[in-house]
PDB file of all heavy atoms in Angstrom:
ATOM      1  N   GLU M 152     -11.104 -19.448 -18.255  1.00  0.00           N
ATOM      2  CA  GLU M 152     -10.229 -20.594 -18.510  1.00  0.00           C
ATOM      3  C   GLU M 152      -8.950 -20.569 -17.684  1.00  0.00           C
ATOM      4  O   GLU M 152      -7.907 -21.068 -18.105  1.00  0.00           O
ATOM      5  CB  GLU M 152      -9.893 -20.678 -20.012  1.00  0.00           C
ATOM      6  CG  GLU M 152     -11.134 -20.813 -20.896  1.00  0.00           C
ATOM      7  CD  GLU M 152     -10.795 -20.707 -22.378  1.00  0.00           C
ATOM      8  OE1 GLU M 152      -9.605 -20.503 -22.699  1.00  0.00           O
ATOM      9  OE2 GLU M 152     -11.713 -20.820 -23.209  1.00  0.00           O
ATOM     10  N   GLY M 153      -9.027 -19.975 -16.500  1.00  0.00           N
ATOM     11  CA  GLY M 153      -7.871 -19.964 -15.624  1.00  0.00           C
ATOM     12  C   GLY M 153      -6.688 -19.167 -16.145  1.00  0.00           C
ATOM     13  O   GLY M 153      -5.536 -19.425 -15.755  1.00  0.00           O
ATOM     14  N   LYS M 154      -6.949 -18.173 -16.980  1.00  0.00           N
ATOM     15  CA  LYS M 154      -5.856 -17.398 -17.588  1.00  0.00           C
ATOM     16  C   LYS M 154      -5.210 -16.424 -16.625  1.00  0.00           C
ATOM     17  O   LYS M 154      -4.125 -15.901 -16.896  1.00  0.00           O
ATOM     18  CB  LYS M 154      -6.382 -16.634 -18.807  1.00  0.00           C
ATOM     19  CG  LYS M 154      -6.824 -17.526 -19.963  1.00  0.00           C
ATOM     20  CD  LYS M 154      -7.350 -16.683 -21.122  1.00  0.00           C
ATOM     21  CE  LYS M 154      -7.782 -17.557 -22.286  1.00  0.00           C
ATOM     22  NZ  LYS M 154      -8.321 -16.735 -23.401  1.00  0.00           N
ATOM     23  N   GLY M 155      -5.866 -16.147 -15.502  1.00  0.00           N
ATOM     24  CA  GLY M 155      -5.326 -15.183 -14.554  1.00  0.00           C
ATOM     25  C   GLY M 155      -6.432 -14.376 -13.931  1.00  0.00           C
ATOM     26  O   GLY M 155      -7.552 -14.873 -13.756  1.00  0.00           O
ATOM     27  N   TRP M 156      -6.172 -13.098 -13.614  1.00  0.00           N
ATOM     28  CA  TRP M 156      -7.189 -12.234 -13.020  1.00  0.00           C
ATOM     29  C   TRP M 156      -6.897 -10.780 -13.332  1.00  0.00           C
ATOM     30  O   TRP M 156      -5.806 -10.427 -13.771  1.00  0.00           O
ATOM     31  CB  TRP M 156      -7.312 -12.457 -11.521  1.00  0.00           C
ATOM     32  CG  TRP M 156      -6.033 -12.532 -10.729  1.00  0.00           C
ATOM     33  CD1 TRP M 156      -5.420 -13.645 -10.245  1.00  0.00           C
ATOM     34  CD2 TRP M 156      -5.199 -11.421 -10.308  1.00  0.00           C
ATOM     35  NE1 TRP M 156      -4.277 -13.326  -9.553  1.00  0.00           N
ATOM     36  CE2 TRP M 156      -4.120 -11.965  -9.572  1.00  0.00           C
ATOM     37  CE3 TRP M 156      -5.262 -10.047 -10.475  1.00  0.00           C
ATOM     38  CZ2 TRP M 156      -3.105 -11.179  -9.016  1.00  0.00           C
ATOM     39  CZ3 TRP M 156      -4.259  -9.247  -9.927  1.00  0.00           C
ATOM     40  CH2 TRP M 156      -3.201  -9.817  -9.209  1.00  0.00           C
ATOM     41  N   ILE M 157      -7.904  -9.952 -13.085  1.00  0.00           N
ATOM     42  CA  ILE M 157      -7.761  -8.508 -13.243  1.00  0.00           C
ATOM     43  C   ILE M 157      -8.272  -7.834 -11.982  1.00  0.00           C
ATOM     44  O   ILE M 157      -9.310  -8.222 -11.439  1.00  0.00           O
ATOM     45  CB  ILE M 157      -8.504  -7.991 -14.495  1.00  0.00           C
ATOM     46  CG1 ILE M 157      -8.325  -6.466 -14.640  1.00  0.00           C
ATOM     47  CG2 ILE M 157      -9.980  -8.368 -14.474  1.00  0.00           C
ATOM     48  CD1 ILE M 157      -8.858  -5.921 -15.967  1.00  0.00           C
ATOM     49  N   LYS M 158      -7.524  -6.838 -11.493  1.00  0.00           N
ATOM     50  CA  LYS M 158      -7.964  -5.996 -10.391  1.00  0.00           C
ATOM     51  C   LYS M 158      -8.189  -4.585 -10.918  1.00  0.00           C
ATOM     52  O   LYS M 158      -7.382  -4.066 -11.701  1.00  0.00           O
ATOM     53  CB  LYS M 158      -6.917  -5.957  -9.273  1.00  0.00           C
ATOM     54  CG  LYS M 158      -6.798  -7.243  -8.481  1.00  0.00           C
ATOM     55  CD  LYS M 158      -5.789  -7.064  -7.356  1.00  0.00           C
ATOM     56  CE  LYS M 158      -5.663  -8.323  -6.515  1.00  0.00           C
ATOM     57  NZ  LYS M 158      -4.668  -8.139  -5.425  1.00  0.00           N
ATOM     58  N   VAL M 159      -9.268  -3.963 -10.463  1.00  0.00           N
ATOM     59  CA  VAL M 159      -9.574  -2.598 -10.859  1.00  0.00           C
ATOM     60  C   VAL M 159      -9.170  -1.678  -9.706  1.00  0.00           C
ATOM     61  O   VAL M 159      -9.881  -1.568  -8.715  1.00  0.00           O
ATOM     62  CB  VAL M 159     -11.065  -2.443 -11.214  1.00  0.00           C
ATOM     63  CG1 VAL M 159     -11.376  -1.003 -11.575  1.00  0.00           C
ATOM     64  CG2 VAL M 159     -11.433  -3.374 -12.363  1.00  0.00           C
ATOM     65  N   ILE M 160      -8.022  -1.053  -9.857  1.00  0.00           N
ATOM     66  CA  ILE M 160      -7.524  -0.161  -8.816  1.00  0.00           C
ATOM     67  C   ILE M 160      -8.247   1.184  -8.888  1.00  0.00           C
ATOM     68  O   ILE M 160      -8.578   1.790  -7.871  1.00  0.00           O
ATOM     69  CB  ILE M 160      -6.002   0.044  -8.958  1.00  0.00           C
ATOM     70  CG1 ILE M 160      -5.284  -1.307  -9.130  1.00  0.00           C
ATOM     71  CG2 ILE M 160      -5.454   0.816  -7.770  1.00  0.00           C
ATOM     72  CD1 ILE M 160      -5.531  -2.283  -8.025  1.00  0.00           C
ATOM     73  N   ALA M 161      -8.498   1.665 -10.108  1.00  0.00           N
ATOM     74  CA  ALA M 161      -9.253   2.905 -10.316  1.00  0.00           C
ATOM     75  C   ALA M 161     -10.093   2.739 -11.571  1.00  0.00           C
ATOM     76  O   ALA M 161      -9.729   2.006 -12.491  1.00  0.00           O
ATOM     77  CB  ALA M 161      -8.317   4.101 -10.464  1.00  0.00           C
ATOM     78  N   GLY M 162     -11.251   3.418 -11.598  1.00  0.00           N
ATOM     79  CA  GLY M 162     -12.131   3.328 -12.753  1.00  0.00           C
ATOM     80  C   GLY M 162     -13.025   2.099 -12.694  1.00  0.00           C
ATOM     81  O   GLY M 162     -13.388   1.613 -11.620  1.00  0.00           O
ATOM     82  N   LYS M 163     -13.360   1.568 -13.871  1.00  0.00           N
ATOM     83  CA  LYS M 163     -14.254   0.417 -13.941  1.00  0.00           C
ATOM     84  C   LYS M 163     -13.839  -0.508 -15.077  1.00  0.00           C
ATOM     85  O   LYS M 163     -13.162  -0.099 -16.021  1.00  0.00           O
ATOM     86  CB  LYS M 163     -15.700   0.874 -14.143  1.00  0.00           C
ATOM     87  CG  LYS M 163     -15.933   1.649 -15.434  1.00  0.00           C
ATOM     88  CD  LYS M 163     -17.377   2.110 -15.546  1.00  0.00           C
ATOM     89  CE  LYS M 163     -17.590   2.900 -16.857  1.00  0.00           C
ATOM     90  NZ  LYS M 163     -18.991   3.338 -17.012  1.00  0.00           N
ATOM     91  N   PHE M 164     -14.249  -1.762 -14.963  1.00  0.00           N
ATOM     92  CA  PHE M 164     -14.056  -2.752 -16.011  1.00  0.00           C
ATOM     93  C   PHE M 164     -15.214  -3.733 -15.926  1.00  0.00           C
ATOM     94  O   PHE M 164     -15.411  -4.387 -14.892  1.00  0.00           O
ATOM     95  CB  PHE M 164     -12.726  -3.492 -15.849  1.00  0.00           C
ATOM     96  CG  PHE M 164     -12.549  -4.626 -16.828  1.00  0.00           C
ATOM     97  CD1 PHE M 164     -12.213  -4.375 -18.142  1.00  0.00           C
ATOM     98  CD2 PHE M 164     -12.747  -5.948 -16.427  1.00  0.00           C
ATOM     99  CE1 PHE M 164     -12.056  -5.410 -19.048  1.00  0.00           C
ATOM    100  CE2 PHE M 164     -12.591  -6.991 -17.317  1.00  0.00           C
ATOM    101  CZ  PHE M 164     -12.245  -6.725 -18.638  1.00  0.00           C
ATOM    102  N   GLU M 165     -16.008  -3.807 -17.009  1.00  0.00           N
ATOM    103  CA  GLU M 165     -17.201  -4.644 -17.034  1.00  0.00           C
ATOM    104  C   GLU M 165     -18.054  -4.354 -15.802  1.00  0.00           C
ATOM    105  O   GLU M 165     -18.475  -3.211 -15.603  1.00  0.00           O
ATOM    106  CB  GLU M 165     -16.807  -6.127 -17.173  1.00  0.00           C
ATOM    107  CG  GLU M 165     -16.124  -6.414 -18.518  1.00  0.00           C
ATOM    108  CD  GLU M 165     -15.738  -7.872 -18.696  1.00  0.00           C
ATOM    109  OE1 GLU M 165     -15.799  -8.648 -17.711  1.00  0.00           O
ATOM    110  OE2 GLU M 165     -15.376  -8.243 -19.831  1.00  0.00           O
ATOM    111  N   ASP M 166     -18.296  -5.333 -14.927  1.00  0.00           N
ATOM    112  CA  ASP M 166     -19.158  -5.092 -13.757  1.00  0.00           C
ATOM    113  C   ASP M 166     -18.368  -4.696 -12.516  1.00  0.00           C
ATOM    114  O   ASP M 166     -18.947  -4.574 -11.426  1.00  0.00           O
ATOM    115  CB  ASP M 166     -20.000  -6.330 -13.466  1.00  0.00           C
ATOM    116  CG  ASP M 166     -19.147  -7.574 -13.198  1.00  0.00           C
ATOM    117  OD1 ASP M 166     -17.999  -7.620 -13.688  1.00  0.00           O
ATOM    118  OD2 ASP M 166     -19.630  -8.491 -12.523  1.00  0.00           O
ATOM    119  N   LEU M 167     -17.069  -4.478 -12.656  1.00  0.00           N
ATOM    120  CA  LEU M 167     -16.240  -4.080 -11.531  1.00  0.00           C
ATOM    121  C   LEU M 167     -16.080  -2.566 -11.512  1.00  0.00           C
ATOM    122  O   LEU M 167     -15.891  -1.942 -12.555  1.00  0.00           O
ATOM    123  CB  LEU M 167     -14.854  -4.720 -11.624  1.00  0.00           C
ATOM    124  CG  LEU M 167     -14.769  -6.247 -11.704  1.00  0.00           C
ATOM    125  CD1 LEU M 167     -13.318  -6.682 -11.777  1.00  0.00           C
ATOM    126  CD2 LEU M 167     -15.463  -6.890 -10.514  1.00  0.00           C
ATOM    127  N   ARG M 168     -16.124  -1.972 -10.319  1.00  0.00           N
ATOM    128  CA  ARG M 168     -15.923  -0.530 -10.190  1.00  0.00           C
ATOM    129  C   ARG M 168     -15.172  -0.238  -8.893  1.00  0.00           C
ATOM    130  O   ARG M 168     -15.541  -0.709  -7.825  1.00  0.00           O
ATOM    131  CB  ARG M 168     -17.259   0.218 -10.187  1.00  0.00           C
ATOM    132  CG  ARG M 168     -17.105   1.743 -10.005  1.00  0.00           C
ATOM    133  CD  ARG M 168     -18.436   2.447 -10.007  1.00  0.00           C
ATOM    134  NE  ARG M 168     -19.019   2.500 -11.330  1.00  0.00           N
ATOM    135  CZ  ARG M 168     -18.727   3.437 -12.242  1.00  0.00           C
ATOM    136  NH1 ARG M 168     -17.850   4.390 -11.948  1.00  0.00           N
ATOM    137  NH2 ARG M 168     -19.308   3.430 -13.409  1.00  0.00           N
ATOM    138  N   SER M 169     -14.129   0.558  -9.000  1.00  0.00           N
ATOM    139  CA  SER M 169     -13.368   0.976  -7.837  1.00  0.00           C
ATOM    140  C   SER M 169     -14.164   1.989  -7.022  1.00  0.00           C
ATOM    141  O   SER M 169     -14.961   2.753  -7.576  1.00  0.00           O
ATOM    142  CB  SER M 169     -12.038   1.588  -8.281  1.00  0.00           C
ATOM    143  OG  SER M 169     -11.374   2.202  -7.204  1.00  0.00           O
ATOM    144  N   VAL M 170     -13.910   2.040  -5.712  1.00  0.00           N
ATOM    145  CA  VAL M 170     -14.561   3.038  -4.861  1.00  0.00           C
ATOM    146  C   VAL M 170     -13.857   4.392  -4.945  1.00  0.00           C
ATOM    147  O   VAL M 170     -14.366   5.395  -4.440  1.00  0.00           O
ATOM    148  CB  VAL M 170     -14.620   2.576  -3.390  1.00  0.00           C
ATOM    149  CG1 VAL M 170     -15.429   1.311  -3.258  1.00  0.00           C
ATOM    150  CG2 VAL M 170     -13.216   2.401  -2.809  1.00  0.00           C
ATOM    151  N   ILE M 171     -12.701   4.434  -5.583  1.00  0.00           N
ATOM    152  CA  ILE M 171     -11.978   5.700  -5.734  1.00  0.00           C
ATOM    153  C   ILE M 171     -12.771   6.612  -6.665  1.00  0.00           C
ATOM    154  O   ILE M 171     -13.188   6.200  -7.753  1.00  0.00           O
ATOM    155  CB  ILE M 171     -10.567   5.442  -6.288  1.00  0.00           C
ATOM    156  CG1 ILE M 171      -9.721   4.739  -5.219  1.00  0.00           C
ATOM    157  CG2 ILE M 171      -9.903   6.740  -6.744  1.00  0.00           C
ATOM    158  CD1 ILE M 171      -8.376   4.270  -5.711  1.00  0.00           C
ATOM    159  N   PRO M 172     -13.007   7.861  -6.270  1.00  0.00           N
ATOM    160  CA  PRO M 172     -13.816   8.771  -7.102  1.00  0.00           C
ATOM    161  C   PRO M 172     -13.189   9.020  -8.474  1.00  0.00           C
ATOM    162  O   PRO M 172     -11.959   9.097  -8.613  1.00  0.00           O
ATOM    163  CB  PRO M 172     -13.847  10.064  -6.279  1.00  0.00           C
ATOM    164  CG  PRO M 172     -13.564   9.638  -4.874  1.00  0.00           C
ATOM    165  CD  PRO M 172     -12.629   8.479  -4.983  1.00  0.00           C
ATOM    166  N   ASP M 173     -14.045   9.145  -9.473  1.00  0.00           N
ATOM    167  CA  ASP M 173     -13.628   9.507 -10.826  1.00  0.00           C
ATOM    168  C   ASP M 173     -13.970  10.973 -11.048  1.00  0.00           C
ATOM    169  O   ASP M 173     -15.131  11.316 -11.282  1.00  0.00           O
ATOM    170  CB  ASP M 173     -14.354   8.651 -11.873  1.00  0.00           C
ATOM    171  CG  ASP M 173     -13.997   7.181 -11.787  1.00  0.00           C
ATOM    172  OD1 ASP M 173     -12.825   6.874 -11.506  1.00  0.00           O
ATOM    173  OD2 ASP M 173     -14.881   6.341 -12.003  1.00  0.00           O
ATOM    174  N   TYR M 174     -12.980  11.851 -10.970  1.00  0.00           N
ATOM    175  CA  TYR M 174     -13.217  13.266 -11.258  1.00  0.00           C
ATOM    176  C   TYR M 174     -13.147  13.534 -12.761  1.00  0.00           C
ATOM    177  O   TYR M 174     -13.588  14.570 -13.234  1.00  0.00           O
ATOM    178  CB  TYR M 174     -12.204  14.127 -10.519  1.00  0.00           C
ATOM    179  CG  TYR M 174     -12.294  13.983  -9.020  1.00  0.00           C
ATOM    180  CD1 TYR M 174     -11.230  13.489  -8.280  1.00  0.00           C
ATOM    181  CD2 TYR M 174     -13.456  14.340  -8.327  1.00  0.00           C
ATOM    182  CE1 TYR M 174     -11.314  13.355  -6.896  1.00  0.00           C
ATOM    183  CE2 TYR M 174     -13.554  14.210  -6.956  1.00  0.00           C
ATOM    184  CZ  TYR M 174     -12.473  13.720  -6.247  1.00  0.00           C
ATOM    185  OH  TYR M 174     -12.565  13.585  -4.879  1.00  0.00           O
ATOM    186  N   SER M 175     -12.558  12.590 -13.483  1.00  0.00           N
ATOM    187  CA  SER M 175     -12.553  12.566 -14.943  1.00  0.00           C
ATOM    188  C   SER M 175     -12.452  11.094 -15.321  1.00  0.00           C
ATOM    189  O   SER M 175     -12.294  10.238 -14.448  1.00  0.00           O
ATOM    190  CB  SER M 175     -11.371  13.364 -15.510  1.00  0.00           C
ATOM    191  OG  SER M 175     -10.145  12.789 -15.087  1.00  0.00           O
ATOM    192  N   GLU M 176     -12.557  10.787 -16.596  1.00  0.00           N
ATOM    193  CA  GLU M 176     -12.484   9.377 -16.980  1.00  0.00           C
ATOM    194  C   GLU M 176     -11.081   8.855 -16.706  1.00  0.00           C
ATOM    195  O   GLU M 176     -10.089   9.442 -17.134  1.00  0.00           O
ATOM    196  CB  GLU M 176     -12.846   9.202 -18.452  1.00  0.00           C
ATOM    197  CG  GLU M 176     -12.982   7.744 -18.847  1.00  0.00           C
ATOM    198  CD  GLU M 176     -13.755   7.536 -20.130  1.00  0.00           C
ATOM    199  OE1 GLU M 176     -14.057   8.533 -20.795  1.00  0.00           O
ATOM    200  OE2 GLU M 176     -14.041   6.371 -20.465  1.00  0.00           O
ATOM    201  N   GLN M 177     -11.003   7.733 -15.972  1.00  0.00           N
ATOM    202  CA  GLN M 177      -9.710   7.163 -15.607  1.00  0.00           C
ATOM    203  C   GLN M 177      -9.844   5.656 -15.433  1.00  0.00           C
ATOM    204  O   GLN M 177     -10.923   5.136 -15.135  1.00  0.00           O
ATOM    205  CB  GLN M 177      -9.195   7.778 -14.302  1.00  0.00           C
ATOM    206  CG  GLN M 177     -10.083   7.500 -13.098  1.00  0.00           C
ATOM    207  CD  GLN M 177      -9.581   8.142 -11.809  1.00  0.00           C
ATOM    208  OE1 GLN M 177      -8.706   8.981 -11.824  1.00  0.00           O
ATOM    209  NE2 GLN M 177     -10.140   7.735 -10.676  1.00  0.00           N
ATOM    210  N   PHE M 178      -8.740   4.960 -15.635  1.00  0.00           N
ATOM    211  CA  PHE M 178      -8.708   3.520 -15.357  1.00  0.00           C
ATOM    212  C   PHE M 178      -7.284   3.129 -14.973  1.00  0.00           C
ATOM    213  O   PHE M 178      -6.303   3.682 -15.467  1.00  0.00           O
ATOM    214  CB  PHE M 178      -9.191   2.693 -16.555  1.00  0.00           C
ATOM    215  CG  PHE M 178      -8.377   2.873 -17.813  1.00  0.00           C
ATOM    216  CD1 PHE M 178      -7.287   2.061 -18.104  1.00  0.00           C
ATOM    217  CD2 PHE M 178      -8.699   3.869 -18.728  1.00  0.00           C
ATOM    218  CE1 PHE M 178      -6.535   2.227 -19.259  1.00  0.00           C
ATOM    219  CE2 PHE M 178      -7.966   4.044 -19.890  1.00  0.00           C
ATOM    220  CZ  PHE M 178      -6.888   3.226 -20.160  1.00  0.00           C
ATOM    221  N   LEU M 179      -7.204   2.199 -14.036  1.00  0.00           N
ATOM    222  CA  LEU M 179      -5.937   1.619 -13.615  1.00  0.00           C
ATOM    223  C   LEU M 179      -6.203   0.159 -13.296  1.00  0.00           C
ATOM    224  O   LEU M 179      -6.918  -0.157 -12.344  1.00  0.00           O
ATOM    225  CB  LEU M 179      -5.377   2.358 -12.393  1.00  0.00           C
ATOM    226  CG  LEU M 179      -4.175   1.738 -11.681  1.00  0.00           C
ATOM    227  CD1 LEU M 179      -3.034   1.470 -12.637  1.00  0.00           C
ATOM    228  CD2 LEU M 179      -3.726   2.635 -10.526  1.00  0.00           C
ATOM    229  N   TYR M 180      -5.646  -0.726 -14.122  1.00  0.00           N
ATOM    230  CA  TYR M 180      -5.870  -2.163 -13.996  1.00  0.00           C
ATOM    231  C   TYR M 180      -4.555  -2.874 -13.685  1.00  0.00           C
ATOM    232  O   TYR M 180      -3.513  -2.578 -14.272  1.00  0.00           O
ATOM    233  CB  TYR M 180      -6.424  -2.754 -15.292  1.00  0.00           C
ATOM    234  CG  TYR M 180      -7.660  -2.088 -15.846  1.00  0.00           C
ATOM    235  CD1 TYR M 180      -7.807  -1.893 -17.224  1.00  0.00           C
ATOM    236  CD2 TYR M 180      -8.691  -1.656 -15.012  1.00  0.00           C
ATOM    237  CE1 TYR M 180      -8.943  -1.293 -17.747  1.00  0.00           C
ATOM    238  CE2 TYR M 180      -9.823  -1.055 -15.523  1.00  0.00           C
ATOM    239  CZ  TYR M 180      -9.943  -0.872 -16.907  1.00  0.00           C
ATOM    240  OH  TYR M 180     -11.067  -0.265 -17.426  1.00  0.00           O
ATOM    241  N   HIS M 181      -4.626  -3.835 -12.772  1.00  0.00           N
ATOM    242  CA  HIS M 181      -3.531  -4.776 -12.526  1.00  0.00           C
ATOM    243  C   HIS M 181      -3.975  -6.102 -13.129  1.00  0.00           C
ATOM    244  O   HIS M 181      -4.961  -6.699 -12.696  1.00  0.00           O
ATOM    245  CB  HIS M 181      -3.286  -4.910 -11.024  1.00  0.00           C
ATOM    246  CG  HIS M 181      -2.241  -5.926 -10.669  1.00  0.00           C
ATOM    247  ND1 HIS M 181      -1.902  -6.212  -9.357  1.00  0.00           N
ATOM    248  CD2 HIS M 181      -1.452  -6.740 -11.432  1.00  0.00           C
ATOM    249  CE1 HIS M 181      -0.971  -7.140  -9.333  1.00  0.00           C
ATOM    250  NE2 HIS M 181      -0.686  -7.481 -10.582  1.00  0.00           N
TER     251      HIS M 181
END
Side-chain angles (χ1 to χ4, degrees):
E152 301 172 359
K154 294 179 180 179
W156 46 257
I157 180 171
K158 288 183 179 180
V159 178
I160 312 303
K163 61 182 180 179
F164 174 77
E165 295 181 349
D166 59 335
L167 303 181
R168 178 180 287 276
S169 170
V170 298
I171 290 172
D173 295 323
Y174 298 118
S175 62
E176 188 161 8
Q177 63 181 13
F178 60 91
L179 170 54
Y180 307 140
H181 176 182

